[in-house]
Amino acid sequence: MDAAEFRRRGKEMVDHVADYLEKIEERPVYPDVEPGYLRSLIPTEAPVEPDSYEDIMKDVERVIMPGITHWHSPNFFAYFPAASSYPAMLADMLCSAIGCIGFSWAASPACTELETVMLDWLGKMLQLPECFLAGTHGHGGGVIQGTASEATLVSLLAARCKAIRRVQLLDPKKSEAEILSKLVAYTSEQAHSSVERAALIGAVMMKKVPTDSLYAVRGEMLKKILEEDKAAGLIPFYFCATLGTTPSCAFDHIADLGPLCNQENMWMHIDAAYAGSAFICPEFRPLLNGVEYADSFNFNPHKWMLINFDCSAMWVKKRTDIIGAFKMEPLYLKHENQESGKTFFGLKLSQSIPLGRRFRSLKMWFVFRMYGLQGLQAHIRKQVGLAKEFESLVRADKRFEICAPVVMGLVCFRLKGTNELNQSLLKKITKSREIHLVPCQLSGSFVLRLAICSRSTEFRHIQQAWQHITQLAFELLNKNEKACTFQI
Amino acid sequence: MDAAEFRRRGKEMVDHVADYLEKIEERPVYPDVEPGYLRSLIPTEAPVEPDSYEDIMKDVERVIMPGITHWHSPNFFAYFPAASSYPAMLADMLCSAIGCIGFSWAASPACTELETVMLDWLGKMLQLPECFLAGTHGHGGGVIQGTASEATLVSLLAARCKAIRRVQLLDPKKSEAEILSKLVAYTSEQAHSSVERAALIGAVMMKKVPTDSLYAVRGEMLKKILEEDKAAGLIPFYFCATLGTTPSCAFDHIADLGPLCNQENMWMHIDAAYAGSAFICPEFRPLLNGVEYADSFNFNPHKWMLINFDCSAMWVKKRTDIIGAFKMEPLYLKHENQESGKTFFGLKLSQSIPLGRRFRSLKMWFVFRMYGLQGLQAHIRKQVGLAKEFESLVRADKRFEICAPVVMGLVCFRLKGTNELNQSLLKKITKSREIHLVPCQLSGSFVLRLAICSRSTEFRHIQQAWQHITQLAFELLNKNEKACTFQI
């Protein structure tokens, strides 16, 4: 395919993309396929000679679309949102064309520098304390990671490195292995599974801290465990706080937890993967109070800030903590400007797990400028408003209950009754393929999660979703009642 | 920006992308900016109200382009290639639109399934042993990682988990910490820095194995160290072989190393990040002989197979080895089909460091079908041919020497003489900005690396590059000679 053909096919693809998104509501949100469905629809080997482009595009509809869960359908309410916007897509086209691999400053200065400045822009939108910004002389700064899982892992590894050095400084006879076996990381019992996985990768113990009735960790809960563990000779070194947990969007009390971590010489990382985007709105910013005690902070603009995946923003107070944990410099990656005192470009490669990285900050630049801060705030507020509307609908129906405070765009609810009943309801919902939800577990209860996800979700979709859910619930309760009647 | 405006701007962007790539040769390949150049060119904060799209596109030329190292210029010969093709870009546009996050089968069945089948297609192109393919009943299979660094890390972590279990089975009293402190991973002294970094992350010791005169590890070299280490009570558990090292594209002798690793119960991972693409050509396939002994194999189609970054292909013989090392299953990620015996979809999330993943297999599908196996082979052969042409030019000039065998698209060469002389030559090359190279170190010598990178590099670019290099060398040698004359 040469440039001339790309001009033609590319323009067709632009229309294809716009058509897909404009008409997405007409498609069932969840696919009706069995595992393994795809293999039988395509050849067992790659073609030796080229296929035609027309055939490929026909196969997109024939092979791919039947197996797609449509994340951008206004009827998709599962997991958390995956951001999507036209400006981000345009920026990604440009990113593909430039196609630089930004593992050092020299590999493409604009790629490294725009990233640093965009993370400063974003940090200012969130009103992060100055110490997290790079500026021209700061010790802190931001970097784009692929996912929150990577940010958690990077912070845990940096904390591990720092803790080992600190203990060895006090007691040089202690071996690294010995120290490692005593290190303990902590996180909420409600934290994302990737936090536990980071500890598994880093070969350190991790303990789950119990939460209060609102599924949040409080200072006293962590304090209690720390006392026990220190008395047992263990070395607490890391706490991962969550702002906006995956099951119910609960907020750990970082303003209490932060001073405790500081006092105990523990690294505090804050994972605000979903909720972080909302902190650009003054009314939500108080939930971030206490961030000044943290060593690192992360959230995913690719969830709720209209920047297509992947774009996970991570800030650290001391870049040297991260860089020191990973530094490797083979000759083929060295370049003249990397030791420059006034910037920290060129050391980027040390701040993420993968070495290669795309020019992801272009997406941030396009989205921030095409929406403006006001446009981004409006997006957040609209989606929180829709969640509140849904909450009202649920609260007005006595057969249902709300299971956790609705703070942002997530509503946790269930039919009053057994877990089996709610499992049956979810099965019916999934099978109908009109809307798509996933469950969570809260205090032993099987709970349905409705997250406002798509940029195109409007009030009418919320109403329809609720009508649909209540209709299925009616059928279910009716059937159960009949079954009971029969039994009698 | 609504769909209508996206249709207009998207088509403009398609032309912008085609224009950029068609005229890329007119731009200096390497930027002339100082660290920190970008910050002063843009505002210090994001706009509150939207900017105009026209202004953003003007800024792409004003702010971004001056700081770009043009990886797709035919005059870019640095590092290794970063793949780029129009079909991959089209697929990525579609990927952005679908915007699903493929962390489980249910999150988008097509995303998980196409990936599995594409890795089978690609495995067959490489003539990988059947045991590495998923098929419908296989125990092996492939997965797309972001980078080779991630693949190395994942393999090392799986090997670590397996080794700990094995040792504990024999000696249940040994603690995990004790075993961990005895585990040793090995790799070539020529291996990529990310291998050492994987060991650092995994908290295990790593030792570098010396290489022969062609910079390759041989069986006897590893065997010698293993004997010493076992005698010292250490537990060798992992060897990362490299096919196509970064400095000189050397090939470890995996057909000797493999049986040794098998015999010693060590995991053998093969990192063929760059060279792997060439194994689709029968004339290069013998270099992969011995892969049958490996536990995992990885290469980057995003380097040399025309699939835009990121797309790193990794195969394992036993999926359960990888899955077992990471398995975590919170309720919000569970779904009905994940325990299905006939597929391994839904367990994908356990096979990579990040949880979220884009629909990257679409790029593979588009590229494989638009080029066909023959087209991909032709691309590899053309670029190897250009490297051979450059080698001939160097060999014909008595002032220069070739420093390592030219097997694929990389030529390592230098001026006969001191390292300082060659450093000066590279400085002149970088400063002139007509071509771009990076150095490496081989046996203590400072060596220039010329890698055939861009899809648009032709013989004339090779000739021009050589003329340019010899002209700068002439100036340098002449100046040095004059300096010498003066001294006399």
Side-chain angles (χ1 to χ4, degrees):
Chain A
M1 184 179 281
D2 60 11
E5 198 189 346
F6 173 72
R7 287 178 200 270
R8 184 156 73 97
R9 299 308 188 182
K11 289 166 193 174
E12 287 172 14
M13 186 60 90
V14 167
D15 279 326
H16 188 93
V17 165
D19 288 345
Y20 169 70
L21 290 171
E22 281 197 312
K23 294 179 197 155
I24 197 165
E25 201 173 337
E26 297 167 15
R27 298 176 187 263
V29 61
Y30 191 68
D32 182 24
V33 294
E34 289 297 310
Y37 88 95
L38 187 141
R39 195 178 282 272
S40 60
L41 297 179
I42 66 174
T44 55
E45 291 186 33
V48 174
E49 310 219 8
D51 283 349
S52 81
Y53 186 76
E54 286 81 2
D55 283 347
I56 297 174
M57 288 308 291
K58 269 183 220 153
D59 281 350
V60 167
E61 209 49 55
R62 182 182 68 91
V63 178
I64 304 300
M65 284 300 158
I68 294 290
T69 304
H70 298 283
W71 281 61
H72 303 290
S73 162
N75 299 317
F76 180 90
F77 301 106
Y79 315 108
F80 272 135
S84 172
S85 71
Y86 291 121
M89 285 186 223
L90 292 170
D92 250 352
M93 289 164 69
L94 186 59
C95 168
S96 290
I98 293 173
C100 62
I101 310 295
F103 47 65
S104 71
W105 183 85
S108 230
C111 176
T112 305
E113 297 205 12
L114 188 65
E115 182 168 330
T116 310
V117 179
M118 283 306 103
L119 272 284
D120 273 4
W121 277 22
L122 184 53
K124 287 176 188 172
M125 286 191 227
L126 297 169
Q127 296 180 49
L128 283 187
E130 188 76 22
C131 54
F132 283 105
L133 307 182
T136 46
H137 295 88
H139 298 290
V143 66
I144 302 176
Q145 305 283 2
T147 59
S149 318
E150 287 168 63
T152 306
L153 177 58
V154 165
S155 68
L156 181 131
L157 295 172
R160 186 185 74 179
C161 176
K162 217 176 162 182
I164 291 175
R165 281 182 200 163
R166 194 183 63 239
V167 176
Q168 278 191 327
L169 209 67
L170 294 171
D171 186 353
K173 274 177 294 181
K174 271 212 174 112
S175 74
E176 212 170 296
E178 201 183 338
I179 300 168
L180 201 61
S181 71
K182 305 277 184 208
L183 293 181
V184 195
Y186 302 84
T187 196
S188 164
E189 60 180 15
Q190 293 288 319
H192 193 269
S193 56
S194 57
V195 182
E196 202 177 337
R197 213 158 152 241
L200 194 70
I201 292 171
V204 293
M205 212 181 306
M206 172 154 274
K207 298 199 175 188
K208 303 285 188 72
V209 186
T211 54
D212 65 12
S213 62
L214 298 179
Y215 308 108
V217 173
R218 293 173 170 275
E220 65 251 40
M221 293 155 167
L222 178 61
K223 198 175 163 67
K224 190 167 165 283
I225 304 187
L226 293 182
E227 295 308 329
E228 291 166 10
D229 285 350
K230 284 193 297 179
L234 298 175
I235 309 169
F237 80 105
Y238 176 87
F239 175 64
C240 176
T242 311
L243 295 182
T245 57
T246 308
S248 69
C249 200
F251 293 81
D252 289 345
H253 292 232
I254 55 170
D256 295 344
L257 291 158
L260 178 62
C261 290
N262 289 179
Q263 184 188 316
E264 299 287 343
N265 252 322
M266 289 166 69
W267 183 293
M268 182 162 88
H269 174 67
I270 298 175
D271 171 8
Y274 164 68
S277 298
F279 301 147
I280 61 170
C281 299
E283 65 272 31
F284 291 116
R285 178 58 178 75
L287 288 164
L288 188 58
N289 287 348
V291 67
E292 58 275 19
Y293 301 110
D295 296 279
S296 51
F297 170 71
N298 167 252
F299 85 99
N300 292 345
H302 70 227
K303 277 201 165 64
W304 207 14
M305 209 179 246
L306 298 167
I307 299 168
N308 288 49
F309 189 89
D310 52 345
C311 179
S312 182
M314 179 189 193
W315 290 266
V316 287
K317 253 187 202 158
K318 287 193 195 153
R319 295 192 305 258
T320 48
D321 284 342
I322 303 277
I323 293 162
F326 292 121
K327 202 169 180 176
M328 304 260 161
E329 276 174 5
L331 188 57
Y332 49 81
L333 290 179
K334 283 201 175 131
H335 56 87
E336 280 187 9
N337 288 317
Q338 70 181 0
E339 300 301 341
S340 160
K342 62 177 171 155
T343 64
F344 71 110
F345 313 120
L347 293 171
K348 265 296 156 41
L349 79 97
S350 313
Q351 301 186 24
S352 58
I353 302 297
L355 200 59
R357 32 206 353 264
R358 295 162 74 232
F359 197 163
R360 294 178 285 199
S361 56
L362 278 177
K363 289 186 286 200
M364 304 180 94
W365 199 42
F366 272 56
V367 168
F368 294 162
R369 296 184 68 183
M370 286 300 291
Y371 281 89
L373 176 58
Q374 281 181 353
L376 296 172
Q377 288 171 333
H379 171 67
I380 299 289
R381 286 169 180 151
K382 177 182 165 186
Q383 296 215 322
V384 175
L386 291 172
K388 297 277 185 193
E389 299 274 8
F390 187 80
E391 182 190 11
S392 304
L393 293 170
V394 178
R395 286 199 189 277
D397 189 325
K398 293 234 159 67
R399 295 168 302 175
F400 286 85
E401 58 189 346
I402 292 289
C403 309
V406 178
V407 183
M408 293 185 174
L410 177 69
V411 184
C412 290
F413 68 105
R414 68 196 300 278
L415 271 170
K416 289 173 186 165
T418 63
N419 283 350
E420 290 65 36
L421 182 69
N422 282 283
Q423 279 162 352
S424 301
L425 176 59
L426 184 63
K427 262 195 187 160
K428 272 173 145 334
I429 292 172
T430 304
K431 206 173 166 192
S432 80
R433 300 162 66 222
E434 285 191 29
I435 62 172
H436 190 51
L437 307 180
V438 293
C440 70
Q441 196 151 32
L442 291 174
S443 309
S445 288
F446 186 92
V447 170
L448 307 191
R449 287 168 84 263
L450 183 136
I452 309 297
C453 289
S454 168
R455 192 167 47 82
S456 61
T457 301
E458 301 290 345
F459 181 54
R460 65 182 172 90
H461 299 109
I462 298 301
Q463 281 180 307
Q464 283 162 15
W466 181 242
Q467 268 168 16
H468 179 63
I469 292 167
T470 48
Q471 175 61 33
L472 295 178
F474 175 78
E475 289 168 22
L476 189 68
L477 294 167
N478 219 23
K479 200 183 98 196
N480 279 11
E481 210 168 286
K482 274 187 191 155
C484 286
T485 316
F486 267 113
Q487 277 177 348
I488 296 165
Chain B
M1 184 179 283
D2 60 11
E5 198 188 346
F6 173 72
R7 288 177 198 269
R8 182 156 75 98
R9 298 308 187 184
K11 289 166 193 174
E12 287 173 15
M13 186 59 91
V14 166
D15 279 327
H16 188 92
V17 165
D19 289 345
Y20 169 71
L21 290 171
E22 281 197 311
K23 295 180 194 155
I24 198 165
E25 200 173 337
E26 296 167 16
R27 298 177 188 262
V29 60
Y30 191 68
D32 182 24
V33 295
E34 289 296 311
Y37 88 95
L38 186 142
R39 194 176 284 270
S40 60
L41 297 179
I42 66 174
T44 55
E45 291 186 34
V48 174
E49 310 219 9
D51 284 349
S52 81
Y53 186 77
E54 286 81 2
D55 284 346
I56 296 174
M57 288 308 292
K58 270 184 217 154
D59 282 350
V60 168
E61 207 49 56
R62 182 181 69 90
V63 177
I64 304 299
M65 283 301 158
I68 294 288
T69 304
H70 298 283
W71 281 61
H72 303 290
S73 163
N75 301 315
F76 180 90
F77 302 106
Y79 315 107
F80 273 134
S84 173
S85 72
Y86 292 121
M89 286 186 226
L90 292 171
D92 251 351
M93 288 164 69
L94 186 59
C95 167
S96 291
I98 293 174
C100 62
I101 310 295
F103 47 65
S104 70
W105 181 86
S108 231
C111 177
T112 305
E113 297 206 12
L114 187 66
E115 183 168 330
T116 310
V117 179
M118 284 305 104
L119 272 285
D120 273 3
W121 276 24
L122 184 53
K124 287 177 189 172
M125 286 192 228
L126 298 168
Q127 296 179 47
L128 283 187
E130 187 75 23
C131 54
F132 283 105
L133 306 182
T136 44
H137 294 90
H139 298 290
V143 65
I144 301 177
Q145 305 283 2
T147 60
S149 318
E150 287 168 61
T152 306
L153 177 58
V154 166
S155 67
L156 181 131
L157 295 172
R160 186 186 73 179
C161 176
K162 215 177 161 180
I164 291 174
R165 282 183 198 162
R166 196 183 60 239
V167 176
Q168 279 191 327
L169 209 66
L170 294 172
D171 186 354
K173 274 177 295 180
K174 271 209 173 117
S175 74
E176 211 170 298
E178 199 183 340
I179 301 168
L180 201 62
S181 72
K182 303 281 183 206
L183 293 181
V184 197
Y186 302 84
T187 195
S188 163
E189 60 181 14
Q190 294 288 319
H192 194 270
S193 55
S194 58
V195 182
E196 201 176 339
R197 214 157 150 241
L200 194 70
I201 292 170
V204 293
M205 214 181 307
M206 172 154 273
K207 297 199 175 187
K208 301 285 187 75
V209 186
T211 54
D212 64 14
S213 62
L214 298 179
Y215 308 108
V217 174
R218 292 172 171 275
E220 65 251 42
M221 293 154 167
L222 178 61
K223 196 173 164 67
K224 190 165 164 286
I225 306 186
L226 293 184
E227 296 307 329
E228 290 165 11
D229 285 351
K230 283 192 297 179
L234 298 175
I235 308 168
F237 81 105
Y238 176 85
F239 175 66
C240 176
T242 311
L243 295 182
T245 59
T246 309
S248 69
C249 199
F251 293 81
D252 289 345
H253 294 231
I254 54 170
D256 294 344
L257 292 157
L260 178 62
C261 290
N262 287 179
Q263 184 187 316
E264 299 286 343
N265 252 323
M266 290 167 69
W267 184 293
M268 181 160 89
H269 175 67
I270 299 175
D271 171 8
Y274 164 66
S277 298
F279 302 147
I280 60 168
C281 301
E283 65 272 32
F284 292 116
R285 179 58 180 75
L287 288 163
L288 188 58
N289 288 347
V291 67
E292 59 274 19
Y293 301 110
D295 296 280
S296 52
F297 169 72
N298 167 250
F299 84 99
N300 292 345
H302 70 227
K303 278 200 165 65
W304 207 14
M305 209 180 246
L306 298 167
I307 299 168
N308 288 49
F309 189 88
D310 51 347
C311 180
S312 182
M314 179 189 194
W315 291 264
V316 287
K317 254 187 202 158
K318 287 191 196 155
R319 296 191 306 257
T320 48
D321 285 342
I322 303 277
I323 294 162
F326 291 122
K327 201 167 180 176
M328 304 260 162
E329 276 173 5
L331 188 58
Y332 48 83
L333 291 178
K334 282 202 176 130
H335 56 87
E336 280 189 11
N337 288 315
Q338 69 182 1
E339 301 300 344
S340 159
K342 61 178 173 157
T343 65
F344 70 110
F345 314 120
L347 294 171
K348 264 296 156 38
L349 78 98
S350 312
Q351 301 186 25
S352 58
I353 302 298
L355 200 59
R357 29 202 2 260
R358 295 163 73 233
F359 197 165
R360 294 179 287 200
S361 56
L362 278 177
K363 290 187 285 201
M364 303 180 95
W365 199 42
F366 272 56
V367 168
F368 294 162
R369 296 184 67 182
M370 286 300 290
Y371 281 89
L373 177 58
Q374 282 181 353
L376 296 172
Q377 288 170 333
H379 172 67
I380 298 289
R381 285 170 180 151
K382 177 182 166 185
Q383 295 214 323
V384 175
L386 291 172
K388 296 279 184 194
E389 299 273 8
F390 187 80
E391 181 191 11
S392 304
L393 293 169
V394 177
R395 287 202 189 274
D397 189 324
K398 294 237 159 62
R399 297 168 302 176
F400 286 86
E401 58 188 345
I402 292 289
C403 308
V406 178
V407 182
M408 293 184 175
L410 177 68
V411 184
C412 289
F413 68 105
R414 70 195 300 276
L415 271 169
K416 289 171 186 167
T418 63
N419 282 349
E420 291 66 35
L421 182 69
N422 281 285
Q423 278 162 352
S424 302
L425 177 59
L426 183 63
K427 261 195 186 161
K428 272 173 149 322
I429 292 171
T430 305
K431 206 171 166 192
S432 80
R433 302 162 64 220
E434 286 191 29
I435 61 172
H436 190 49
L437 308 180
V438 292
C440 69
Q441 197 152 30
L442 292 174
S443 310
S445 289
F446 186 92
V447 169
L448 308 190
R449 288 169 84 262
L450 183 135
I452 308 297
C453 289
S454 168
R455 192 166 47 82
S456 61
T457 301
E458 301 289 346
F459 181 56
R460 67 185 171 88
H461 300 108
I462 298 302
Q463 280 180 308
Q464 284 163 14
W466 181 241
Q467 268 168 16
H468 179 63
I469 292 168
T470 49
Q471 175 61 33
L472 295 179
F474 175 78
E475 290 169 23
L476 189 69
L477 294 167
N478 217 23
K479 201 184 98 196
N480 278 13
E481 208 167 291
K482 275 186 188 158
C484 286
T485 317
F486 268 113
Q487 277 177 346
I488 298 165

